[in-house]
Amino acid sequence: MTSFTPPVADMQFLLHEVLRVSESGIPGYGDLDAGFTSAVLDEAGKLSRDLLEPLNAVGDREGCRLENGVVRTPTGFAEAFRTLREGGWTALDCDPAYGGQGLPYLMHTAANELFVSANMAFNMYQGLTHGAYSAIQAHGTDAQKAIYLPRMVTCEWTGTMNLTEPHCGTDLGLMRTKAEPQTDGSYLITGQKIFISAGDHDMAENIIHLVLAKAPGGGEGTKGVSLFIVPKFLVNADGTLGARNAVSVGKVEEKMGIHGNATCVMNYDGATGWLLGDLHKGMRAMFTMMNEARLGVGLQGYAVAEAAYQNAVAYAKDRLQGRAITGAENPSGPADPLIVHPDIRRNLMDQKSFVEGARAFTFWGASLIDRAHRMNDAEADGLISLLTPVIKGFQTDKGFEMTVAAQQVYGGHGYIEEQGMSQFARDARIAMIYEGANGIQALDLVGRKLAADGGKHTMAFFDLVKAFLKENEGDARLKAGFLDPLKAASKHLQAAGMFFMAEGMKNPNTALAGSYDFMHMMGHVCLGLMWAKMAKAAYAALDAGAGDRDFYEAKVATGRYYMARQLPATAMHLARIQSGADPVMALAAETF
């Protein structure tokens, strides 16, 4: 039996003392005073704790089932989904023109974290819809927006993303799904898509599939790919539902985790679809949805780890095992609680320092998205584009690692299903794979993002770190514990980039063999920067004598732990990168 306590105090600290949102100048942020954000997050937290978290184990145990062509969701899911819809939680940051509340994306991110921590599989139904909404909003015609968006904002209709096929995942140029143009401007879509999250369910009136397919005249590879709107039920001109479209569920996959979300094989047998965006430009439209999804998946990485960590802490404080090496701390009992032991402390500090650092990184990333979209800020857009594969890849790798660490605190009891720790690890595992496996994120970072716009955004990131170091170099408290480690790690990252530039032209495999290490190195530097910023804010609060002193002192101590015990990993990653491609490529394929 697990539990979840919404970390609203930490979120408020980030919003108002680290990011200082109401002073940022981003349109809409001026309304985000502490009272308003507290009210929103407190209510989202209650829903997460009281409604969604109790359904997490139910969804894991029951899973989804296909009955007479319709997917049935676990007990309680439909009622909970209705509660979220009616409360407007699916519409927080959506355009008011279509029934949304128009709040910044940052507020959607914060509320979404709470929902993911409580029940990741459940939250995916509305999460995928949000991505499909964004793609139609960005690339749809006025008529398409008028028909689909109001109903997707409320999740009366939900959405999906259909990319993968049995023979192609990342290499979308190999897809076989075809789109045949019709005289009325529609297309007939024929093919099979697999691994479609929320592909079918019983919680919405209609499901709007966004499907990649090849239309005639597009040429080979991804240049020939277009994106189509293919609803489960055809939609009449007035928005009412018509006949069932020729799309069906072939099967619901049996998976390692996220059992409460229906992962479907979708069969398109001449289904009617409509072009979304420009013909043969489907990849551009798809990436509107994909980039948002990657940020959401990066959030899943630490949000599930947060829930696992909370339960591990509770267990470590309650479970009596052994005596503290320095003397009994529970002399009236038969043993001391687990939390007295240094190795348990190490384990928990690894988790705590990652989760809080990743939350700060993700909130900062969300604020960059708001700055880019609400201010047409090209620099913010370029920076979040650079950071997206790091948020997705690094945070999901480490997030899964932290769920396993939380499970380890329980010993053998963590391996028993009734404790619930297994589910956290199983659910978190998918985040390293979907929306682009993490190896692809690393290749995207090194192969495309570092050099984008002549390396402008990479240099902007390094300049940002340097500016923070220079601005705060006179603060002795920050210097030794935070600034010096951050400076060293940043130099490691720059050295890796220089190595790629010097050696990559001679042997391209050099950069590719080091890309995964570079992604993790950059992730550590980003979390190091976040911890330095959080420490600065915490020291300021302590100096002012404001707020909860224990909270701020714990924040500083946790940050010092990360800088001392986690950030030095950049030296290891640099050494691996500088070993080049030879150790990686030494064996012939037949030798494996």
Side-chain angles (χ1 to χ4, degrees):
M1 180 72 72
T2 60
S3 63
F4 173 61
T5 301
V8 173
D10 199 54
M11 292 179 166
Q12 288 285 88
F13 167 70
L14 291 176
L15 293 173
H16 301 291
E17 297 178 66
V18 180
L19 295 175
R20 305 179 74 87
V21 289
S22 60
E23 304 168 22
S24 68
I26 300 173
Y29 275 40
D31 298 328
L32 302 183
D33 61 69
F36 176 78
T37 59
S38 177
V40 172
L41 296 178
D42 282 344
E43 189 59 32
K46 290 176 185 176
L47 285 169
S48 300
R49 182 192 63 219
D50 301 336
L51 179 67
L52 302 186
E53 199 280 336
L55 293 175
N56 199 32
V58 175
D60 187 56
R61 183 174 60 251
E62 293 185 9
C64 298
R65 63 192 187 280
L66 182 61
E67 292 181 352
N68 301 319
V70 177
V71 173
R72 302 298 178 188
T73 52
T75 302
F77 270 44
E79 293 80 3
F81 198 65
R82 188 179 309 115
T83 298
L84 251 67
R85 284 172 40 202
E86 292 174 352
W89 294 101
T90 63
L92 277 185
D93 67 321
C94 295
D95 191 337
Y98 304 106
Q101 298 183 42
L103 293 180
Y105 180 72
L106 176 59
M107 289 305 296
H108 164 82
T109 299
N112 198 46
E113 180 197 323
L114 298 170
F115 298 149
V116 171
S117 289
N119 196 326
M120 174 177 163
F122 175 90
N123 193 63
M124 289 171 64
Y125 291 99
Q126 67 102 0
L128 270 295
T129 304
H130 192 282
Y133 156 89
S134 296
I136 295 173
Q137 184 188 37
H139 302 284
T141 65
D142 289 343
Q144 288 172 337
K145 294 176 187 179
I147 286 288
Y148 295 106
L149 294 188
R151 296 162 178 86
M152 295 177 76
V153 163
T154 61
C155 277
E156 295 170 72
W157 299 354
T158 59
T160 72
M161 177 167 51
N162 284 234
L163 285 68
T164 305
E165 299 183 8
H167 56 282
C168 77
T170 301
D171 192 354
L172 293 173
L174 296 176
M175 73 172 54
R176 296 172 185 160
T177 299
K178 299 295 184 184
E180 301 175 23
Q182 305 299 297
T183 56
D184 64 355
S186 66
Y187 289 77
L188 295 183
I189 311 298
T190 302
Q192 185 180 76
K193 298 291 184 176
I194 64 170
F195 305 154
I196 308 307
S197 299
D200 195 79
H201 56 85
D202 55 2
M203 301 191 299
E205 296 174 352
N206 204 3
I207 299 175
I208 310 306
H209 302 289
L210 300 191
V211 184
L212 282 178
K214 287 188 173 181
E220 297 298 317
T222 56
K223 293 180 180 179
V225 171
S226 301
L227 188 62
F228 298 90
I229 298 174
V230 187
K232 176 180 177 179
F233 289 96
L234 297 175
V235 181
N236 298 319
D238 62 357
T240 59
L241 299 184
R244 176 71 185 259
N245 207 351
V247 53
S248 61
V249 179
K251 66 179 290 193
V252 176
E253 301 286 3
E254 295 186 18
K255 313 182 295 291
M256 177 179 175
I258 55 168
H259 296 156
N261 194 269
T263 304
C264 300
V265 174
M266 303 301 300
N267 295 322
Y268 295 87
D269 300 306
T272 301
W274 289 267
L275 182 67
L276 177 61
D278 297 328
L279 189 63
H280 309 313
K281 302 292 185 183
M283 296 300 289
R284 183 178 65 179
M286 181 272 293
F287 268 108
T288 298
M289 185 165 42
M290 179 69 85
N291 285 332
E292 177 180 314
R294 286 175 174 172
L295 289 165
V297 172
L299 180 149
Q300 288 178 338
Y302 80 83
V304 177
E306 165 72 44
Y309 162 73
Q310 287 188 17
N311 285 276
V313 169
Y315 187 82
K317 290 180 178 179
D318 182 67
R319 175 76 167 174
L320 302 181
Q321 291 284 283
R323 289 294 188 189
I325 194 70
T326 54
E329 296 196 19
N330 179 35
S332 62
D336 290 332
L338 280 171
I339 202 164
V340 307
H341 303 300
D343 191 61
I344 295 294
R345 293 290 188 95
R346 172 202 57 79
N347 185 322
L348 294 174
M349 287 295 283
D350 281 349
Q351 297 173 56
K352 180 177 173 63
S353 64
F354 163 73
V355 167
E356 293 180 15
R359 176 178 296 120
F361 185 22
T362 303
F363 279 27
W364 177 46
S367 74
L368 289 173
I369 290 175
D370 280 329
R371 183 174 292 278
H373 291 175
R374 291 173 174 245
M375 301 178 71
N376 294 316
D377 188 324
E379 292 183 4
D381 190 57
L383 186 55
I384 191 57
S385 179
L386 171 70
L387 297 175
T388 294
V390 184
I391 292 173
K392 196 283 184 184
F394 175 74
Q395 290 189 176
T396 58
D397 275 354
K398 299 299 287 187
F400 172 71
E401 180 184 325
M402 293 305 116
T403 63
V404 173
Q407 188 183 32
Q408 187 75 11
V409 171
Y410 282 68
H413 291 283
Y415 201 66
I416 304 301
E417 287 294 339
E418 69 180 89
Q419 293 289 346
M421 299 306 288
S422 168
Q423 184 185 351
F424 294 131
R426 288 185 286 102
D427 286 355
R429 183 64 183 87
I430 185 57
M432 301 163 69
I433 299 171
Y434 61 15
E435 307 303 346
N438 285 356
I440 299 299
Q441 303 303 318
L443 296 180
D444 178 45
L445 174 63
V446 171
R448 294 178 61 245
K449 299 297 176 61
L450 289 183
D453 295 328
K456 172 183 175 181
H457 310 299
T458 303
M459 294 308 300
F461 173 76
F462 284 124
D463 288 344
L464 189 151
V465 175
K466 290 176 184 174
F468 181 83
L469 292 170
K470 184 172 181 58
E471 176 188 340
N472 296 284
E473 61 186 0
D475 189 329
R477 295 174 302 182
L478 281 177
K479 189 174 188 310
F482 293 92
L483 302 185
D484 288 349
L486 176 59
K487 184 175 183 180
S490 179
K491 286 185 175 180
H492 291 155
L493 189 63
Q494 292 177 67
M498 294 299 292
F499 179 80
F500 288 156
M501 290 177 61
E503 303 296 328
M505 294 298 291
K506 301 181 220 174
N507 181 4
N509 280 339
T510 297
L512 301 185
S515 61
Y516 213 94
D517 282 285
F518 189 88
M519 178 179 73
H520 272 251
M521 185 189 297
M522 192 164 186
H524 279 299
V525 171
C526 289
L527 262 64
L529 176 62
M530 294 300 102
W531 271 116
K533 286 178 175 287
M534 287 189 282
K536 179 179 178 179
Y539 279 132
L542 288 168
D543 290 344
D548 183 347
R549 187 172 188 85
D550 289 343
F551 173 89
Y552 295 118
E553 289 180 344
K555 187 64 69 175
V556 171
T558 306
R560 284 182 173 275
Y561 179 90
Y562 191 89
M563 306 306 273
R565 300 277 303 209
Q566 294 295 320
L567 194 56
T570 57
M572 174 193 70
H573 290 301
L574 177 60
R576 289 176 174 174
I577 289 168
Q578 291 178 334
S579 72
D582 288 348
V584 175
M585 305 300 293
L587 292 182
E590 58 271 15
T591 311
F592 282 89

